[in-house]
Amino acid sequence: MRERKKRTVGHIIPYAKRYEHILQTGNASELLALSQRNKHHAMRALALLGNFHGRYDMWKQIKERYDLKRSNADDLSIFTAMMDCKNSYSSMLQWLKGTCRELPLSYRNILIFDALVGLRPEETCQSVLLLKRDRTNYLKVKNGFAILEHYKYPQLFLRRTKKCYISVVNEKVLEIIARCGDHNYNAIYMQLKRRKIPVRFKFCRKIFGTCLRQRGFAAEIVDLLEGRIGKSVFARHYFRPDIDEQLSKVERYLEPLYYEVLEG
């Protein structure tokens, strides 16, 4: 736990305190009633706590007895999310457009930038800072398009469970970054809360991923640009696209997406 970020540890500790008794009683029935998200956090905390107290084997037995799995979502919840019109592509775009009209320029441009590269909120803010402070090393121009090489900064972008490797950008995106403020995620969060705007920063990343998939890009390409490496046999052993051609094609879709986000 010492190696984990303070914010992560601060999130785990309350779950460990709340459900510590499960390691004593062996009764994990109350976890079954939790939402998938809360169950995931509780299980993560109990695994760490069990390991710390030398009771990890006991925790494994409890998991098996109650058929507990740490998958992020079951099939039904994924289906429900896909069928939810309130979180459809068009509704997410409307949230982004409406939010951008309410925010100062230096904040709104961070959200627009995120919708064009598909990073996680904290990664987006780090990326903006790096482009301003270490552009020469961070930005690489090749074959008519440019990429941000996140992998060169492993402490920022190659974390234990969340990673990102590269992003495709063009002149429009770079112009947006020049008008972004040096804000962190908490600053953006407070701007949204003060204006009573729903905090849905993650919509930006979803807009990017959905846009690429709707335009025919392979899921493996979308995963790569959003910081996931596919675990399927196909992704690991057989999927070997002409990567420059694919990234160049992504670059061609950035401008239409840019105007789709900004129109209205």
Side-chain angles (χ1 to χ4, degrees), residues 15-259:
Y15 282 93
K17 288 181 177 179
R18 189 181 310 165
Y19 298 108
E20 178 182 12
H21 61 275
I22 290 175
L23 293 177
Q24 303 289 336
T25 65
N27 184 354
S29 57
E30 62 189 288
L31 297 185
L32 301 177
L34 298 177
S35 68
Q36 194 68 32
R37 178 177 179 275
N38 288 339
K39 183 168 71 171
H40 174 85
H41 290 317
M43 291 176 62
R44 184 184 185 194
L46 286 170
L48 289 168
L49 191 62
N51 191 53
F52 179 76
H53 288 300
R55 296 182 177 177
Y56 188 74
D57 287 342
M58 180 183 295
W59 169 238
K60 286 173 64 177
Q61 292 172 11
I62 295 171
K63 280 202 306 178
E64 291 174 6
R65 189 182 313 139
Y66 287 88
D67 193 26
L68 294 169
K69 298 177 181 178
R70 283 180 55 182
S71 59
N72 290 327
D74 56 30
D75 292 345
L76 180 59
S77 64
I78 294 172
F79 168 77
T80 303
M82 290 177 67
M83 298 298 290
D84 184 2
C85 295
K86 294 180 181 179
N87 290 333
S88 66
Y89 182 70
S90 58
S91 65
M92 290 190 295
L93 274 176
Q94 288 305 314
W95 173 86
L96 179 56
K97 293 174 184 179
T99 300
C100 286
R101 286 193 290 268
E102 297 292 328
L103 290 177
L105 184 67
S106 65
Y107 288 92
R108 89 174 64 135
N109 279 325
I110 294 177
L111 297 183
I112 295 170
F113 168 57
D114 193 18
L116 297 174
V117 294
L119 296 175
R120 299 172 184 88
E122 291 183 354
E123 295 166 353
T124 301
C125 297
Q126 291 287 357
S127 184
V128 169
L129 291 175
L130 275 174
L131 268 166
K132 292 184 175 185
R133 299 173 182 176
D134 197 16
R135 183 185 179 111
T136 303
N137 186 53
Y138 188 35
L139 178 68
K140 180 178 180 181
V141 179
K142 54 182 294 184
N143 300 331
F145 63 94
I147 59 173
L148 303 178
E149 297 181 319
H150 310 305
Y151 65 88
K152 289 183 176 179
Y153 306 85
Q155 290 188 331
L156 296 177
F157 296 112
L158 300 182
R159 294 169 290 172
R160 189 178 65 87
T161 58
K162 297 178 181 178
K163 299 174 173 60
C164 58
Y165 304 95
I166 60 171
S167 291
V168 179
V169 296
N170 61 9
E171 286 301 320
K172 288 286 185 186
V173 179
L174 294 175
E175 288 173 10
I176 290 170
I177 293 169
R179 299 193 296 271
C180 289
D182 296 348
H183 307 303
N184 59 28
Y185 172 74
N186 286 335
I188 300 171
Y189 176 87
M190 293 307 301
Q191 285 288 326
L192 295 173
K193 294 296 284 186
R194 288 191 195 108
R195 291 166 171 77
K196 298 181 178 179
I197 299 172
V199 182
R200 295 170 178 164
F201 202 151
K202 292 181 180 179
F203 275 9
C204 301
R205 176 172 166 84
K206 293 180 180 181
I207 286 169
F208 175 80
T210 303
C211 175
L212 292 192
R213 283 298 283 138
Q214 289 183 160
R215 284 160 174 77
F217 284 92
E220 289 80 5
I221 295 296
V222 180
D223 283 346
L224 172 65
L225 294 174
E226 291 200 329
R228 298 181 296 271
I229 295 297
K231 296 182 180 180
S232 69
V233 172
F234 176 71
R236 290 187 175 275
H237 300 286
Y238 300 105
F239 186 63
R240 298 296 181 267
D242 294 322
I243 192 64
D244 280 1
E245 179 182 330
Q246 290 294 309
L247 296 182
S248 180
K249 187 178 177 183
V250 170
E251 189 274 335
R252 292 197 295 273
Y253 278 112
L254 291 181
E255 190 159 346
L257 178 57
Y258 169 84
Y259 287 113

